[in-house]
């Protein structure tokens, strides 16, 4: 029971706060963009409170297991490049455009709240919150010797992460390569959450920087 308690709490709070609190704030008159930032500011506090000791332990383990940071980042950037190429290719084939509704929503946020806050939300808040929810909470509790269960939970993780970003179904294939990449990278690195957090942060960082510089 202890092994699944934190994942359950994380997932429940993610959906309650991400959707419930957002609706309450907007209904109370808060701008949609500020409501989104507020929700993620609250969520980052919750997920760190839930996983605080685990985060410290995993960081120590992560530093021990990375033999070469140079190799780690070279491999990481290759994964990101492949994921980005496939994402834009799928998006253009299916939608006839490189933009998604999610991208347009983020662009609207930049016009509403300070770009630095959007950057913090995209490159810090989002990677921690979403990786702890969709990787650690869904896959991390499974016994590593149970390959079948890990595979099943990995598929659930990929679909859940992909689905949470959709405004319309035809965008599914845009987020699929990154979702597969994050999940595979997480499992490949002994299910250490910092592997996918770093990958996720670097995937979001270029867009965040472009928003700051306009």
């Amino acid at each position: 029971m202890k092994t699944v308690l934190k994942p359950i709490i994380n997932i429940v709070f993610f959906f309650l706060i991400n959707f419930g609190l957002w609706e309450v704030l907007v209904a109370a008159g808060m701008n949609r963009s500020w409501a989104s930032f507020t929700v993620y500011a609250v969520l980052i506090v919750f997920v760190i409170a839930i996983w605080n000791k685990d985060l410290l332990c995993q960081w120590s383990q992560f530093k021990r297991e990375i033999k070469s940071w140079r190799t780690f980042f070279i491999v990481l950037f290759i994964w990101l490049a492949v994921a980005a190429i496939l994402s834009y290719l799928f998006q253009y084939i299916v939608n006839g455009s490189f933009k998604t509704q999610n991208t347009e929503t983020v662009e609207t946020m930049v016009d509403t709240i300070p770009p630095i806050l959007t950057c913090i939300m995209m490159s810090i808040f989002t990677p921690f919150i979403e990786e702890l929810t969709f990787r650690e909470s869904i896959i991390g509790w499974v016994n590593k010797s149970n390959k079948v269960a890990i595979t099943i939970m990995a598929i659930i993780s990929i679909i859940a992460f992909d689905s949470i970003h959709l405004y319309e179904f035809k965008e599914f294939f845009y987020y699929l390569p990154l979702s597969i990449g994050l999940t595979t990278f997480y499992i490949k690195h002994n299910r250490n959450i910092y592997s996918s957090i770093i990958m996720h942060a670097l995937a979001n960082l270029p867009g965040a920087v472009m928003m700051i510089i306009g």
Side-chain angles (χ1 to χ4, degrees), residues 88-97 169-174:
Y88 285 111
L89 179 62
F90 291 159
Q91 175 67 6
Y92 189 76
I93 291 173
V94 174
N95 207 31
S97 169
F169 182 74
K170 61 183 178 180
E171 295 177 351
F172 181 85
F173 293 100
Y174 175 83

Side-chain angles (χ1 to χ4, degrees), residues 41-144:
V42 172
L43 274 172
I44 192 70
V45 174
F46 267 95
V47 297
I48 289 177
I50 293 168
W51 297 100
N52 59 342
K53 292 182 180 178
D54 301 82
L55 287 169
L56 292 173
C57 290
Q58 288 204 40
W59 178 245
S60 298
Q61 181 185 355
F62 186 64
K63 290 190 294 182
R64 289 196 305 270
E65 292 179 351
I66 298 298
K67 305 302 180 184
S68 168
W69 286 100
R70 180 184 177 188
T71 301
F72 172 80
F73 280 106
I74 288 174
V75 172
L76 175 56
F77 282 119
I78 291 172
W79 280 63
L80 284 174
V82 172
I85 291 169
L86 291 175
S87 291
Y88 285 111
L89 179 62
F90 291 159
Q91 175 67 6
Y92 189 76
I93 291 173
V94 174
N95 207 31
S97 169
F98 291 119
K99 272 191 177 184
T100 66
Q101 184 62 44
N102 194 41
T103 305
E104 293 176 3
T105 300
V106 173
E107 289 176 352
T108 301
M109 286 187 67
V110 178
D111 295 332
T112 309
I113 67 176
I116 187 64
L117 294 184
T118 307
C119 182
I120 290 170
M121 178 178 167
M122 289 176 61
S123 57
I124 299 176
F125 290 0
T126 299
F128 269 92
I129 293 164
E130 294 186 354
E131 292 312 305
L132 286 167
T133 302
F134 295 102
R135 245 61 64 183
E136 189 69 13
S137 295
I138 294 178
I139 308 171
W141 61 273
V142 181
N143 191 310
K144 65 172 61 179

Side-chain angles (χ1 to χ4, degrees), residues 62 65-66 72 184-192 195:
F62 186 64
E65 292 179 351
I66 298 298
F72 172 80
T184 307
F185 207 66
Y186 169 73
I187 294 172
K188 180 178 179 292
H189 285 87
N190 199 25
R191 293 187 296 177
N192 191 296
S195 59

Side-chain angles (χ1 to χ4, degrees), residues 19-30:
F19 296 105
L21 178 59
W22 189 88
E23 293 286 350
V24 169
L25 293 174
V26 171
M30 183 179 286

